[in-house]
């Protein structure tokens, strides 16, 4: 069986910000210490360590500081799927990556913004920049429900990545080469995903896949929010009683390329409405593909 996300991330060190939590709360947050910080390939924006946090500025951000402040999509969601079936090369405990989304501060969102160019050859772009290991990781954990994975990657970057202002070519200065923004988007998404072992977080709370058992939604949400240190939105399928997605909510201090992800303490806005699960939910085991070797 292929190694699980927990096996992979246990070999590295954390990159999540250890800054004080935003929005109050007395409990201190100790981020998962299992993922190495991503060192960008580029000379992207060099940002002050005490700059404003996205969605928390008290005055407008002027040029050239806009390359160090994610706006207007300053609420960042790392979204994961609990797939119905074990995918090829995967494991029964795999949660998979859906996307990295820059929501507006009120929880609504823009899409296909063209703050960066759109790309239609994501695999080729990543490999051109030497990101072969990243492509392998994405083929393991960033999976399309149908069709080639590369089609999902293209959709996610063109719909969401192009709405992240710090990825604009101008923020790279003279060092910009086509595709560097693609590398930074997918590297940062993968690095953040590696810190969020949803299966392990639920397992630690005694919440494990079962064909018939129902769990209180509040318990599932509390387990993930205790683990991540921030708010989590849950989405369900079936009759709104089958756990299917987890959205982890963050703000950023600095640019997407090099900034700190800070767990949000309030879902707020439209994210609050996006959670659609019933009060009691099932967390179903994955099915094995017919004819798969067990």
């Amino acid at each position: 069986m292929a190694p699980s996300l927990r096996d992979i991330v246990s070999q590295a060190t954390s990159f999540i910000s250890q800054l004080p939590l935003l929005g109050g709360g007395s409990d201190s947050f100790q981020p998962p210490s299992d993922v190495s910080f991503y060192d960008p390939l580029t000379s992207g924006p060099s940002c002050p360590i005490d700059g404003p946090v996205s969605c928390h500025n008290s005055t407008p951000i002027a040029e050239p500081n806009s390359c160090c402040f994610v706006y207007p999509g300053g609420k960042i969601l790392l979204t994961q799927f609990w797939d119905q079936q074990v995918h090829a090369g995967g494991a029964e405990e795999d949660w998979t990556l859906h996307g990295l989304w820059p929501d507006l501060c009120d929880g609504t969102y823009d899409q296909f913004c063209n703050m960066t160019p759109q790309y239609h050859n994501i695999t080729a772009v990543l490999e051109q920049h030497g990101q072969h290991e990243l492509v392998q990781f994405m083929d393991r954990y960033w999976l399309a429900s149908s069709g080639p994975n590369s089609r999902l990657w293209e959709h996610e970057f063109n719909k969401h990545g192009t709405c992240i202002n710090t990825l604009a070519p101008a923020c790279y200065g003279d060092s910009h080469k086509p595709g560097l923004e693609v590398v930074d988007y997918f590297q940062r998404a993968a690095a953040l995903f590696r810190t969020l072992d949803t299966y392990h977080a639920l397992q630690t709370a005694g919440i494990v896949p079962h064909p018939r058992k129902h769990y209180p939604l509040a318990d599932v949400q509390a387990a993930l929010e205790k683990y991540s240190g921030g708010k989590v939105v849950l989405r369900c399928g079936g009759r709104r009683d089958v756990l299917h997605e987890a959205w982890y909510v963050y703000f950023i201090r600095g640019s997407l390329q090099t900034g700190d992800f800070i767990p949000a303490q309030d879902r707020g806005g439209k994210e609050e409405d996006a959670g659609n699960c019933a009060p009691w939910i099932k967390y179903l085991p994955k099915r094995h593909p017919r004819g798969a070797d067990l």
Side-chain angles (χ1 to χ4, degrees), residues 63-120:
E63 296 287 352
N65 295 326
S66 60
C67 287
C68 291
F69 183 76
V70 178
Y71 176 85
K75 187 178 287 187
I76 304 297
L77 275 60
L78 190 289
T79 58
Q80 298 185 12
F81 278 136
W82 178 248
D83 302 311
Q84 296 179 344
Q85 183 171 285
V86 178
H87 54 81
E92 292 179 349
E93 64 265 34
D94 284 352
W95 281 73
T96 61
L97 230 170
H98 184 179
L100 187 69
W101 304 344
D103 277 12
L104 304 178
C105 298
D106 64 0
T108 60
Y109 64 91
D110 294 329
Q111 57 185 338
F112 301 102
C113 302
N114 293 321
M115 291 182 179
T116 76
Q118 293 191 18
Y119 288 87
H120 304 284

Side-chain angles (χ1 to χ4, degrees), residues 223-235:
L224 296 181
E225 292 184 349
K226 178 180 179 182
Y227 173 75
S228 69
K231 293 303 181 182
V232 179
V233 177
L234 298 177
R235 300 275 298 171

Side-chain angles (χ1 to χ4, degrees), residues 27-278:
D27 294 336
S28 61
F29 166 53
Q30 181 64 36
S33 57
D34 51 16
V35 178
S36 60
F37 187 92
Y38 165 54
D39 185 14
L41 297 178
T42 69
S43 56
S46 178
C47 301
I49 61 174
D50 59 348
V53 175
S54 60
C55 295
H56 288 77
N57 57 306
S58 57
T59 59
I61 303 297
E63 296 287 352
N65 295 326
S66 60
C67 287
C68 291
F69 183 76
V70 178
Y71 176 85
K75 187 178 287 187
I76 304 297
L77 275 60
L78 190 289
T79 58
Q80 298 185 12
F81 278 136
W82 178 248
D83 302 311
Q84 296 179 344
Q85 183 171 285
V86 178
H87 54 81
E92 292 179 349
E93 64 265 34
D94 284 352
W95 281 73
T96 61
L97 230 170
H98 184 179
L100 187 69
W101 304 344
D103 277 12
L104 304 178
C105 298
D106 64 0
T108 60
Y109 64 91
D110 294 329
Q111 57 185 338
F112 301 102
C113 302
N114 293 321
M115 291 182 179
T116 76
Q118 293 191 18
Y119 288 87
H120 304 284
N121 53 345
I122 299 298
T123 302
V125 169
L126 292 175
E127 292 182 341
Q128 177 185 353
H129 289 282
Q131 299 299 301
H132 304 285
E133 290 185 4
L134 174 60
V135 171
Q136 291 178 352
F137 182 87
M138 290 165 60
D139 265 327
R140 171 77 160 81
Y141 288 108
W142 203 328
L143 305 171
S145 59
S146 62
N149 296 331
S150 58
R151 185 178 301 167
L152 172 62
W153 305 341
E154 176 185 320
H155 170 80
E156 290 299 311
F157 182 82
N158 290 338
K159 180 176 181 179
H160 300 292
T162 61
C163 295
I164 301 175
N165 64 301
T166 69
L167 295 178
C171 290
Y172 292 86
D174 294 338
S175 68
H176 180 261
K177 296 179 181 178
L180 289 178
E181 56 272 76
V182 173
V183 174
D184 284 339
Y185 174 80
F186 286 103
Q187 278 281 12
R188 284 296 264 177
L192 184 56
F193 172 74
R194 288 185 178 101
T195 71
L196 297 169
D197 189 340
T198 301
Y199 186 92
H200 177 63
L202 294 176
Q203 183 185 52
T204 300
I207 300 169
V208 295
H210 192 281
R212 294 176 300 278
K213 187 172 183 178
H214 286 73
Y215 295 99
L217 173 65
D219 289 357
V220 177
Q221 190 132 20
L224 296 181
E225 292 184 349
K226 178 180 179 182
Y227 173 75
S228 69
K231 293 303 181 182
V232 179
V233 177
L234 298 177
R235 300 275 298 171
C236 292
R239 298 179 178 178
R240 300 191 301 114
D241 65 345
V242 177
L243 183 60
H244 180 53
E245 289 189 75
W247 299 357
Y248 294 87
V249 187
Y250 291 88
F251 300 109
I252 294 183
R253 186 189 299 275
S255 68
L256 180 80
Q257 293 92 314
T258 61
D260 294 314
F261 286 96
I262 302 176
Q265 298 308 294
D266 182 5
R267 286 180 293 276
K270 295 296 183 179
E271 279 101 13
E272 194 73 45
D273 300 332
N276 70 338
C277 298

